[in-house]
Amino acid sequence: MPPYRILALDGGGIRGIITLVLMQRLTAEAGLEDWLEFADLLAGTSTGGLIALGLARGIPLEELRQLYETEGETIFDDSWLDDLKDLGRVTGAEYSLKGLKRVLRRLFGAARLHHLRKRVLIPSFDLDNRAPDPGRRTWKPKLFHNFPGPDSDGGSPVWKVGLATAAAPTYFPSFEGYVDGGVYATNPSMCGLAQALDSRHRRPAALDDIVLLSLGTGVSLTYIKGQSIDWGYAQWAQPIVTLMLDGASGIADFQCRQILGSRYHRLAPVIPPAETYALDEWEKVPEMIDFAERVDVRPAARFLRRAWMRAR
């Protein structure tokens, strides 16, 4: 049997440019010019979700990269008026969704998930399921997908799904009740694996056939010094989002590595200790590109040749 290929793309805001450069470099490797065409499922969270949706729509890597290079300022537009209204970041999100919404509507137009060329899985988080029964009303993870079946989200507009997965808390307001899927699945590898195995779908993949490549947006060497951290709300407010995102990413890597073994590979380059690339630092895109161009992609290329391109 040919492999069932899953490409999982992490969240990370503007650092998605790192993922795009890494994919371009892999495509430039001998024998891997068309490796992306063989992906059966694209799983992406937040910025990774936007890239996954773009690839599934058939948008070339170069065009997606240009968006990150040219539209960062539009997406992360922090006006003084908004800062004044939100008291900096104390009472409101750092940025409006207007810029991102404008970019996504222009990119995807009226396309819906069932129009896409590939299967996609896009994590988000529903803050209120609005169940009429008070005993069932709660928040919950939401995984948008275009697999056939009664739970399919095929009719959902692509641009709306993009906003739902990218509405990172404190950075953006929620969108139609949804926030960034990174609150539980910054690295969507395990979500993609579970989706591929779901027996409710026609012809689910066999575990032994699954090959999974996971791409990160750069790992920051972050830590909190001290053995006894006695912090309250005020002190934890700033680092908690980063801590949550990094923690969720690491456990998904561990789970997939244990389950898939040699049929799994993760490329998540470590950002040098002296550097920091925040999710919204669009001004550092040239530095991020330079960093991604220096990453050793040879192990990932060997994995693709050995496992991904097998029996194509």
Side-chain angles (χ1 to χ4, degrees):
M1 290 288 292
Y4 185 95
R5 305 166 179 93
I6 302 173
L7 176 62
L9 305 172
D10 281 18
I14 197 66
R15 295 203 313 256
I17 188 68
I18 294 173
T19 303
L20 287 163
V21 173
L22 293 176
M23 284 195 286
Q24 284 187 312
R25 292 187 59 205
L26 288 171
T27 302
E29 289 280 318
L32 299 179
E33 295 83 3
D34 56 352
W35 71 274
L36 277 170
E37 290 298 316
F38 293 93
D40 295 290
L41 171 61
L42 301 171
T45 299
S46 194
T47 195
L50 303 184
I51 295 171
L53 292 168
L55 293 174
R57 183 62 173 156
I59 299 171
L61 283 174
E62 180 59 36
E63 185 175 337
L64 292 174
R65 174 174 169 170
Q66 287 177 358
L67 282 173
Y68 278 75
E69 293 186 63
T70 61
E71 299 291 355
E73 186 175 7
T74 298
I75 294 168
F76 298 106
D77 179 19
D78 188 23
S79 69
W80 68 268
L81 187 60
D82 185 62
D83 272 351
L84 182 63
K85 181 184 70 174
D86 296 337
L87 301 180
R89 203 170 178 172
V90 177
T91 63
E94 181 79 358
Y95 308 104
S96 164
L97 279 170
K98 291 179 182 178
L100 181 57
K101 179 180 179 180
R102 187 161 58 247
V103 170
L104 294 183
R105 294 198 71 165
R106 184 174 71 245
L107 186 64
F108 296 114
R112 298 179 183 269
L113 290 189
H114 61 70
H115 294 138
L116 301 179
R117 297 167 46 191
K118 300 277 187 183
R119 296 282 182 238
V120 295
L121 183 74
I122 312 294
S124 184
F125 194 86
D126 186 357
L127 295 175
D128 180 4
N129 65 4
R130 296 170 291 280
D133 180 358
R136 295 179 178 273
R137 187 170 184 175
T138 185
W139 56 17
K140 61 181 179 63
K142 168 62 180 176
L143 293 154
F144 289 95
H145 69 82
N146 58 356
F147 284 70
D151 66 336
S152 177
D153 301 291
S156 298
V158 177
W159 69 268
K160 285 194 173 187
V161 174
L163 284 178
T165 192
T170 76
Y171 287 91
F172 294 110
S174 63
F175 175 72
E176 296 189 350
Y178 293 102
V179 295
D180 196 316
V183 300
Y184 68 94
T186 305
N187 172 355
S189 296
M190 195 64 191
C191 294
L193 177 58
Q195 181 74 12
L197 294 170
D198 192 339
S199 60
R200 294 174 300 172
H201 303 305
R202 293 199 302 266
R203 297 188 299 276
L207 179 59
D208 289 343
D209 293 332
I210 291 177
V211 172
L212 198 158
L213 175 64
S214 174
L215 295 180
T217 59
V219 177
S220 296
L221 297 175
T222 306
Y223 61 90
I224 297 174
K225 187 177 180 179
Q227 298 299 303
S228 179
I229 308 300
D230 185 18
W231 286 358
Y233 291 117
Q235 295 98 331
W236 277 112
Q238 185 171 2
I240 194 67
V241 173
T242 302
L243 183 152
M244 183 172 54
L245 298 181
D246 288 351
S249 179
I251 195 62
D253 178 43
F254 169 77
Q255 291 166 330
C256 287
R257 198 174 301 278
Q258 294 297 106
I259 294 170
L260 296 176
S262 63
R263 290 177 286 111
Y264 168 78
H265 183 84
R266 178 159 171 81
L267 176 56
V270 175
I271 298 169
E275 298 291 345
T276 58
Y277 303 140
L279 276 65
D280 56 348
E281 285 190 294
W282 58 269
E283 305 96 331
K284 290 188 177 182
V285 162
E287 295 176 38
M288 296 180 203
I289 292 173
D290 181 64
F291 164 69
E293 291 285 3
R294 291 182 280 111
V295 171
D296 184 3
V297 299
R298 288 174 297 180
R302 286 195 294 268
F303 168 79
L304 288 174
R305 293 190 187 99
R306 173 182 58 78
W308 188 278
M309 304 300 281
R310 172 174 54 88
R312 54 178 173 158

